[in-house]
Structures are given as C-alpha cells and as structure tokens.
Amino acid sequence: MKHFSSLALFTLLVTAALPVFGQVNNTELADPNPGDQSCWLRLKSTKVGWGSTDERYSRSQVAAFAANPVLHGWRGERVFAQAVISTPKRLDRVTLKVSDLKSGNNTIPSVCIDTYFVGYVMGDKYNSKDSLLLPDRLDTAEAMSVEPNTTRPLWFDIHIPESAKAGTYKGWVVVDCDGRQHKLPLRLEVVNRILPAPDQWAFHLDLWQNPYAVARYFDVPLWSKEHFDRMRPLMTMLAQAGGKVITASIIEHPWNSQTYDPFESMIGKMKLTDGTWKYDYTVFDAWVSFAMECGITEQIDCYTLVPWGYKFEYYDCATNSTRHVSCKPGEKEYEDLLLPFLKDFAAHLKAKGWFERTCIAMDERPMDQLRAAWDLVRRADEGFRIEGAVNYSPEVVNMMYDISLGYRHAKLPQEVVVQRRADNLRTTFYTCCNPDRPNTFLSSPLAESAFLGWHALAKGYNGYLRWAYNSWPAQPCQDSRFGTWTGGDTFLVYPEGPSLRWERLTEGIQQFEKMNILFPTLTPSQRDAMEALLEPMSNPHPDASVDFSEWVAAGKKFLRSVE
C-alpha cells in the first residue's frame, strides 16, 4: 500500500478523517452490588482451589471451591479449567506457573497451557440497567495484585498437541501468593482420537469483525501498518476458533451506526464528470488479503445493498463534493447507482480469484426490498451468491446461498435444512440483543456459550452467526455496556485477548465437530440415544427452569461414552 491512484488517495483521505481517540484503561470498577461482606470475617488466610468453568465468581464474595477436575480431550483439542483465589488480605504479587503434564514417558509441555487472570468488567441484566460487575476478561499479565476481601478467578487453556499420546497426564498448577505457593493437582485424560485443525472444521462460524473499533481503541491510523499489526492477534484468534467469514462493509454505515465505531465503506465510489463511474478497491483488497493471511479464507460477506437507512454515498467530480443519496431497491436512482458498481465489483472479484467465495449480504429487511435487491444482483452477475439473516419464506430457500435464522424465529422445515446441506448451502442461526437465554451477554451463564454449538447440532444447522465479534464500547475492559444493548452484546473478545464467553463458545464448537466425526461410527442404539439427547436442545423455547449447563454436561458425557 505504498503507491495509490488518485481515487485510492481519496478513499484514504476520507477514512483518515474518521475519529481516532481514546486511552486504554484496564482499571476495574467498584462492585455496585458487593452483598453481605461478613463472609470475609470467617476467612483467616488466603485460599486457593479449583472452581467450575460454569461459574462466574463474584469478586466481592468468598468462592466456593469445587472438586479437583479430571479434564478430558482429544488430540488437537483445547480444554479449559478454572481455579479461584479468595483472600482476606492484600496480595502484592500473584503469579501462575504450570508444570509439564506427564503420562509415563510421554509429555505435554507447559508451553501448551495458556494461563490467565480473570478480570472484572461492568455489565447488566438483560432488559435492565441494573449494573453488575462480572468476571469475563482474560488477562495475560505475568503477575497481579489482589485487594483484601476479594476473589480472583484464574483460567487455564490447555492445547493438547495432535502428536500427544493417549493416556492420563498429571501435573501441577502453582499459584504463588507473595512467596507462598499453593499447588493444585492437574489431571488430563487424552483420548486416542484427533480433532482436526480449525481450518478443517465443518462448523460455519460467522462473527462480524469491526476493524474501525481497533483503530480507535489503540489510537492508530486507520489501515496503517500499526492498525493491521493490532488486528492480527484478533483475527488469528478468530481463525483458531474456526472462523470462516470475512466481514466487509461496501457502503458507509450499513447498520445506521448502531455500534460505537461505525462501519465505513471499504470501497471508494467516484462519479466522473462524463457520468461514468470509477471504483477504488484498495482498502477492500488490503482487508480481505490480510484476513486470509490470518487464516479466515472460506467466505467474504459484503454488507449491504439494503442498509437500514437506505442511504448511499459517493464522490461527485462534477460538483467536487461528496453526495448522499436516499433510495430504495426497485427505484431508478437505486439501479443507476448500484448496477454499475455490482458489475464492476464482480469483474474485480473474478480478477482477484475471490468471486466464488464472495456473498452479497443483506439482513433483516422487508421482503419486497430484498426481492428487488436480489433481482439487481442477479442482473449484475448471475453467479453472485447471496447471504443474509432473514426469517424463513419459501423464496429465501431458492435465492440465498447462506441463510441465518433468529434463534427464536427459526421456522425452516427440517426437510429444507437437510436438503440445503445436501446441496452444499449454508444454514445457520444467530443470537443478538435477544433472546434473554441462551446468549453470550456478560450476565449470561457461561454454559450458554457452549450450548450454542449443541443447538446447531440438534437443529442440523451448519453453524452460528453473531453480529459483533469486536464492536467495542468506549472502554470495553472496564464497562461492556453501550447504548440499548445488554452488556457484552457488542463483542466477544477484548482488545488484548479472549473472554470467558469466547472460550466456552469455542468449547461448544469443538463438541459439534467431535459429534460429527463420531456420528458415522455410532451403532443404531447409540444414534437413538443421541437423538434423545439432542431433541430438547433443538427447542428454541426451553422451559424457564432449564439449566443449560446440565444439557452441556450431558452432551459431553455422551461423547465420552461413544469415543
């Protein structure tokens, strides 16, 4: 990106004018609901023990420890564990160390185990503004201080090498609290099966990325080398969870600026004085190429021809100004604006070798608007694929390569799901600002993130879509809330690392993969048992008393019984 055409320069000047501001702040906020503090009077010394990966431990309450876990995984799988510190006195320096794991002469080295301190972030309850301080952010700090009368969770992410031998591995987690060491036994059972690398997973994970949030948060120029360097760990992390889709915005503000950092157009559009059009793909090409380098290669979703505000922007050379046009699919001005672009875009994608993996994406718009937009896309190039989050109607099945259905609005007949899979078409489901459960809000029970993979399996879907991978609010490491959205709705990962929700979502995706691998090997009675297990998980309206952690635990137990 060292040399630019005049149109490329125009695009970069426009994007460079976007706001870049903010200071990184990881300081935790005060707990607005500390509860009864008398529990600390009974705690005479620092306690460290294992916890449950289903638990969100309050910072202000003494933790209830769990039994020593026996972890279980395939070669190539990631498994997770959580420990907890509760201390009545200040700890100036806490460090974490993990030993190698040994099984006879076989070793899983400690470098395969990521260790984190769990940070607390402000959230809220669903459809409520009641503030809640919740554990979620995974911090890679080498050491951390812990205030008196507080609890601090610890998280462990164990990457089982594909080369590991089957067996029971044992080792230790050492939590050093101001020189006093607390040793926790760690036991891992490795099964002689292989989970393929994430780029080979069948699960279709579609999480919308927001590069503009990264530039603002880290205060780096948009599309600069520093910007791409900051995005690389985030995009690589998405690829390592099986991310399949690159999110590209091909118009400005496709969703009415519903995020703290609006999406701008990655493609410059210029109308020349003779009435013809010229398009600049510099930013689009750089973004897509970068995402592919990070390992996200299957699909490019381009948003959108049907924006929420029906507003479009281009640069008009005749008036030497940026023009904003309001028009809808089916109108002449809409066709005059977008048909030439789509034809040029198709040619550009074919020249790059990207046409077959590109989708023109549209979501949640009135059906008459979608029909008119679909017609225009087909007129531009019959080979264009269409993707979108829409409710079911028969014509959707025929028009859309990739459909995502709302968790509680999925009315696609099962035979249609099966046929779409046979035709190599994508069918996924999504959660967003609803439903209240299951979901991936900060206040959602952690097992709900893992359950999403099981729900996709139960419904026969290809995977899961969510509208926000990293659309951060102003200070996401402190406060997850933004606008009307429940805290955590706008992001699943933090600027410098994952979340508890992210780890458990990854767990559920891995269970989906394992079940798909095992299914051909199941006996008729085992398949009957699997159907009985999955049937309640397919219900989008579970009883209010349902504990999703029990469903996830039952699924994992079944997996172990048929491995």
Side-chain angles (χ1 to χ4, degrees):
M1 295 177 62
K2 292 183 178 179
H3 303 286
F4 304 103
S5 66
S6 58
L7 185 51
L9 181 60
F10 158 73
T11 300
L12 293 178
L13 287 173
V14 170
T15 55
L18 300 174
V20 177
F21 53 88
Q23 297 296 320
V24 176
N25 192 339
N26 294 349
T27 304
E28 292 180 356
L29 301 175
D31 189 346
N33 303 290
D36 183 2
Q37 296 291 284
S38 64
C39 58
W40 296 105
L41 299 176
R42 298 186 291 273
L43 189 66
K44 303 305 181 184
S45 61
T46 299
K47 301 296 182 183
V48 180
W50 285 113
S52 166
T53 56
D54 286 334
E55 282 294 322
R56 291 188 183 275
Y57 292 93
S58 168
R59 194 180 68 184
S60 301
Q61 297 292 310
V62 176
F65 299 121
N68 294 344
V70 179
L71 306 179
H72 187 93
W74 291 12
R75 297 153 57 194
E77 186 178 359
R78 291 165 54 196
V79 296
F80 311 103
Q82 183 166 219
V84 199
I85 302 170
S86 286
T87 180
K89 63 178 183 178
R90 176 179 170 82
L91 301 174
D92 291 318
R93 180 177 173 82
V94 177
T95 61
L96 308 177
K97 184 178 180 180
V98 182
S99 71
D100 293 342
L101 305 183
K102 297 281 189 178
S103 176
N105 294 325
N106 301 316
T107 301
I108 296 178
S110 61
V111 294
C112 295
I113 305 173
D114 295 329
T115 63
Y116 301 96
F117 296 97
V118 181
Y120 286 82
V121 181
M122 197 64 71
D124 51 15
K125 295 179 181 178
Y126 178 76
N127 272 350
S128 168
K129 292 306 176 185
D130 293 341
S131 298
L132 297 172
L133 190 68
L134 297 159
D136 191 58
R137 183 175 63 87
L138 297 185
D139 193 327
T140 59
E142 292 184 5
M144 179 176 280
S145 62
V146 181
E147 295 302 310
N149 297 341
T150 61
T151 285
R152 178 65 55 181
L154 316 168
W155 189 262
F156 303 90
D157 184 338
I158 304 169
H159 301 242
I160 304 173
E162 276 195 30
S163 59
K165 302 293 184 183
T168 299
Y169 290 77
K170 297 180 180 179
W172 296 92
V173 168
V174 179
V175 183
D176 188 305
C177 300
D178 287 344
R180 182 183 176 189
Q181 294 189 343
H182 302 258
K183 292 181 70 175
L184 303 179
L186 185 58
R187 178 173 169 174
L188 169 65
E189 295 179 353
V190 177
V191 178
N192 191 26
R193 287 189 177 274
I194 295 179
L195 183 67
D199 62 356
Q200 300 175 48
W201 292 354
F203 193 91
H204 191 73
L205 182 62
D206 182 0
L207 305 176
W208 297 0
Q209 310 103 51
N210 187 338
Y212 305 94
V214 179
R216 182 267 306 172
Y217 184 86
F218 288 108
D219 197 11
V220 294
L222 195 61
W223 309 123
S224 64
K225 180 182 182 302
E226 293 82 3
H227 184 203
F228 284 106
D229 287 345
R230 287 294 190 176
M231 290 192 292
R232 191 174 303 278
L234 292 163
M235 296 298 284
T236 301
M237 183 163 55
L238 177 56
Q240 290 173 345
K244 297 289 193 293
V245 185
I246 303 165
T247 307
S249 48
I250 59 172
I251 67 164
E252 71 294 335
H253 301 197
W255 302 288
N256 262 13
S257 308
Q258 67 172 342
T259 52
Y260 188 86
D261 302 283
F263 288 74
E264 303 298 332
S265 179
M266 295 179 179
I267 300 173
K269 305 172 185 69
M270 181 181 287
K271 190 173 187 179
L272 305 181
T273 54
D274 63 1
T276 60
W277 291 90
K278 189 174 183 180
Y279 306 99
D280 176 33
Y281 301 102
T282 305
V283 169
F284 175 85
D285 290 353
W287 166 242
V288 171
S289 297
F290 166 76
M292 289 185 177
E293 289 171 9
C294 293
I296 305 172
T297 61
E298 184 174 297
Q299 193 167 309
I300 309 163
D301 282 1
C302 300
Y303 290 93
T304 174
L305 297 189
V306 193
W308 288 9
Y310 298 105
K311 294 180 180 179
F312 302 88
E313 177 182 295
Y314 67 91
Y315 188 79
D316 183 22
C317 290
T319 60
N320 195 30
S321 64
T322 299
R323 285 206 59 198
H324 297 88
V325 179
S326 295
C327 55
K328 294 182 178 181
E331 297 177 352
K332 184 177 185 304
E333 193 167 19
Y334 181 90
E335 177 176 328
D336 291 346
L337 183 69
L338 291 174
L339 187 59
F341 164 64
L342 287 171
K343 290 181 177 180
D344 193 85
F345 190 34
H348 178 77
L349 291 167
K350 290 174 182 178
K352 298 290 291 186
W354 296 341
F355 184 75
E356 296 298 329
R357 68 186 81 185
T358 297
C359 290
I360 302 299
M362 314 174 199
D363 62 297
E364 299 174 325
R365 297 291 86 203
M367 188 54 65
D368 63 328
Q369 299 296 299
L370 292 178
R371 289 192 196 100
W374 290 339
D375 176 67
L376 191 72
V377 172
R378 294 291 189 237
R379 287 166 56 196
D381 196 299
E382 283 285 342
F384 261 131
R385 288 175 166 176
I386 296 173
E387 183 272 350
V390 296
N391 292 326
Y392 169 68
S393 70
E395 62 190 298
V396 165
V397 176
N398 298 322
M399 290 299 299
M400 303 188 76
Y401 166 76
D402 185 339
I403 303 173
S404 194
L405 305 159
Y407 177 82
R408 288 194 173 170
H409 303 285
K411 298 179 181 179
L412 202 63
Q414 193 60 33
E415 62 271 18
V416 175
V417 175
V418 172
Q419 186 60 52
R420 285 180 60 82
R421 184 181 287 272
D423 293 340
N424 198 31
L425 303 177
R426 302 284 179 266
T427 309
T428 67
F429 77 102
Y430 70 89
T431 63
C432 53
C433 51
N434 61 74
D436 57 336
R437 54 193 301 268
N439 219 309
T440 59
F441 307 132
L442 249 72
S443 55
S444 299
L446 289 170
E448 293 184 8
S449 294
F451 170 75
L452 299 176
W454 286 98
H455 180 70
L457 186 73
K459 296 291 287 186
Y461 295 148
N462 296 94
Y464 173 68
L465 175 149
R466 209 174 200 295
W467 73 284
Y469 175 62
N470 69 307
S471 284
W472 301 315
Q475 294 290 352
C477 296
Q478 283 191 311
D479 195 330
S480 68
R481 299 169 295 182
F482 172 67
T484 60
W485 316 123
T486 302
D489 191 16
T490 67
F491 65 98
L492 282 165
V493 298
Y494 289 87
E496 295 173 338
S499 68
L500 293 177
R501 297 168 292 144
W502 177 251
E503 300 281 273
R504 295 304 304 277
L505 176 64
T506 302
E507 175 191 304
I509 294 170
Q510 291 182 143
Q511 307 305 323
F512 177 101
E513 293 299 317
K514 290 163 70 173
M515 286 293 288
N516 272 311
I517 291 169
L518 289 171
F519 183 77
T521 71
L522 300 183
T523 66
S525 62
Q526 288 173 332
R527 292 191 182 190
D528 289 343
M530 186 191 78
E531 291 297 326
L533 169 76
L534 295 178
E535 194 281 329
M537 296 188 190
S538 68
N539 180 10
H541 299 279
D543 184 270
S545 64
V546 164
D547 184 344
F548 289 94
S549 66
E550 292 181 357
W551 280 357
V552 172
K556 292 163 74 173
K557 182 178 179 180
F558 177 80
L559 269 171
R560 289 195 293 272
S561 73
V562 298
E563 288 173 335

